[in-house]
Amino acid sequence: HARRLCAAAHSGAGTSKPSDRCPASGVRASSRAPVYMRAPGDTDDAYGFGNGTPSYSYTPQQPQQAAPQLPQPTGGVGFQPQLGGYGGGGWESTSGSMDGGGGPPEPSEGMRKRNLSASWKLSQTLLGEGEEDEPPILEELGINFSHIVSKTRAVLWPRRSKLDQEVIDDSDFAGPLIFCFALAAVLLLKGKVQFSYIYVVFVTGLLALWAVLNLMSMKGIDIYRTASVLGYCLLPIVLLAALSLPLDLTGAWGALFVPLTVFWCSNAAALFFVIILQADDQRWLLLYPVMLFYTGFALITIF
């Protein structure tokens, strides 16, 4: 039956010797011959093919190609790309290990020197130790640390012999801002948000005292210096607010510490105003309105 099928196939294709290709054991296989497959949809006749004209589809075998081998960098386990700009590109070995021993390359000695030079120039510019004709940036902003320390010491221990005229004439606002924010922060620890009260009392008292001081003295004083003195002398009130955290100042402790703190602030501020206005005979007269000013902050601290 197999031989008849093979002979019918070769007779339709025009092959003269089907016996050479159809042995008794079946169709002879060849590794180099193309593979013919039956096309789908054909109807079979008595010999197994449609209308005596078989239909085939050709499926050639495609050769397999090997995957390209990528070049692998040599020199260790961990590698990092070396960016351009400081020594070219390519891969740079970090001589690391599989457990994360590799890391970024250390900066060169030239980069360290440039960083140190930039830091040194910045510090010299801020502190005024650079060019001789160039004032420091902090001085241009009105911040002088030596004057701040001198005024703070004068408030803590008010003595006229320890005050310098240059320090008194410096109307900076760095110290007053620090003390005002410190007072508000300490009161915030007690659960009292008093930022607006501190601002309103300070501005109102500043305007009133500035007017009184100019009316009492022929020399006069500007409002900036008045604000600077009143702000620096607010330091004892900040200490009173810090003391009110462990103690209850609405009782006996308040009757002791509150008048002492108000007198401390008023005495220091009056000493500053006497030196600025050159009114030694009016010191106790200047003490009264200043005492009213700091009494308002004492009440904010207690209640």
Side-chain angles (χ1 to χ4, degrees), residues 39-243:
D42 292 341
T43 57
D44 296 336
D45 56 359
Y47 296 99
F49 297 92
N51 298 327
T53 305
S55 176
Y56 300 95
S57 64
Y58 176 68
T59 305
Q61 295 181 355
Q62 298 293 335
Q64 296 182 356
Q65 297 181 358
Q69 298 293 331
L70 298 177
Q72 298 294 333
T74 59
V77 178
F79 295 91
Q80 290 185 351
Q82 183 180 2
L83 300 179
Y86 290 99
W91 288 87
E92 180 182 0
S93 174
T94 57
S95 64
S97 60
M98 294 299 292
D99 55 354
E106 297 183 357
S108 61
E109 189 66 24
M111 294 180 64
R112 291 195 187 98
K113 290 182 179 180
R114 286 194 294 269
N115 293 336
L116 292 177
S117 178
S119 302
W120 181 82
K121 290 181 179 179
L122 179 61
S123 61
Q124 297 300 315
T125 304
L126 292 176
L127 299 178
E129 299 178 0
E131 301 294 336
E132 295 182 357
D133 56 345
E134 181 181 0
I137 297 179
L138 296 179
E139 184 177 344
E140 293 181 356
L141 296 177
I143 301 175
N144 194 327
F145 290 105
S146 61
H147 290 183
I148 293 175
V149 173
S150 300
K151 280 190 174 182
T152 304
R153 290 178 179 177
V155 172
L156 295 176
W157 187 252
R159 297 175 59 186
R160 186 167 186 172
S161 60
K162 299 295 182 180
L163 291 177
D164 189 6
Q165 188 66 33
E166 182 181 359
V167 175
I168 296 175
D169 294 339
D170 186 12
S171 57
D172 66 289
F173 289 96
L177 289 176
I178 292 174
F179 295 149
C180 289
F181 280 111
L183 177 60
V186 173
L187 294 178
L188 189 61
L189 295 177
K190 297 178 61 178
K192 298 190 298 183
V193 183
Q194 306 288 0
F195 291 93
S196 59
Y197 290 97
I198 294 173
Y199 176 77
V200 171
V201 172
F202 189 88
V203 173
T204 305
L206 170 64
L207 296 177
L209 281 174
W210 176 59
V212 170
L213 293 175
N214 284 279
L215 291 174
M216 293 178 61
S217 175
M218 297 296 297
K219 184 178 181 180
I221 184 174
D222 59 277
I223 192 171
Y224 303 104
R225 196 178 305 179
T226 306
S228 178
V229 172
L230 293 177
Y232 271 103
C233 295
L234 198 64
L235 177 60
I237 297 294
V238 178
L239 300 179
L240 179 66
L243 191 62

Side-chain angles (χ1 to χ4, degrees), residues 25-41:
S25 60
V27 180
R28 184 173 55 189
S30 176
S31 60
R32 297 182 180 180
V35 178
Y36 289 92
M37 298 181 63
R38 176 72 184 278

